[in-house]
Amino acid sequence: VPQLEGPVTEGCLHRRFRLEKQHIAYVKFVVEAYEGLAQVSSLPGRNEMEWIIPTALADQAGELARALGEEVGLVEIIEPQTAGTDAQD
């Protein structure tokens, strides 16, 4: 999923999720009902979506994602860390 960058998404987190295609419209509707919580996008024909979340609302978005995970099987896609970002012992 291409990520938006620039002033529009400054101070925002990008979280990607996988879910069954038949639930995408429902999840988008639920997230958008919480006005300002996240901007939701998906690509046609894929079972993935991205949430762009203001950092101040990350906890609330996480709670909603967990609830939707229980309800419709929303699962976060964790990207592997790139070289040089691993924690040093």
Side-chain angles (χ1 to χ4, degrees):
V1 176
Q3 291 191 351
L4 296 174
E5 297 195 15
V8 173
T9 64
E10 256 179 53
C12 293
L13 304 172
H14 294 255
R15 294 178 67 184
R16 291 180 53 208
F17 299 92
R18 181 171 288 118
L19 70 162
E20 293 182 20
K21 290 178 189 173
Q22 70 261 26
H23 298 302
I24 290 176
Y26 172 73
V27 169
K28 189 171 183 174
F29 175 80
V30 170
V31 175
E32 289 177 351
Y34 290 87
E35 291 187 24
L37 182 67
Q39 178 181 350
V40 179
S41 61
S42 61
L43 291 176
R46 295 188 57 180
N47 61 337
E48 296 178 5
M49 61 179 8
E50 180 180 39
W51 296 10
I52 301 174
I53 307 161
T55 53
L57 299 175
D59 290 341
Q60 292 101 324
E63 290 175 23
L64 181 58
R66 281 187 288 283
L68 288 167
E70 292 175 13
E71 185 178 350
V72 296
L74 184 76
V75 176
E76 186 165 8
I77 301 169
I78 305 297
E79 299 291 334
Q81 290 186 340
T82 57
T85 60
D86 294 303
Q88 298 291 324
D89 288 47

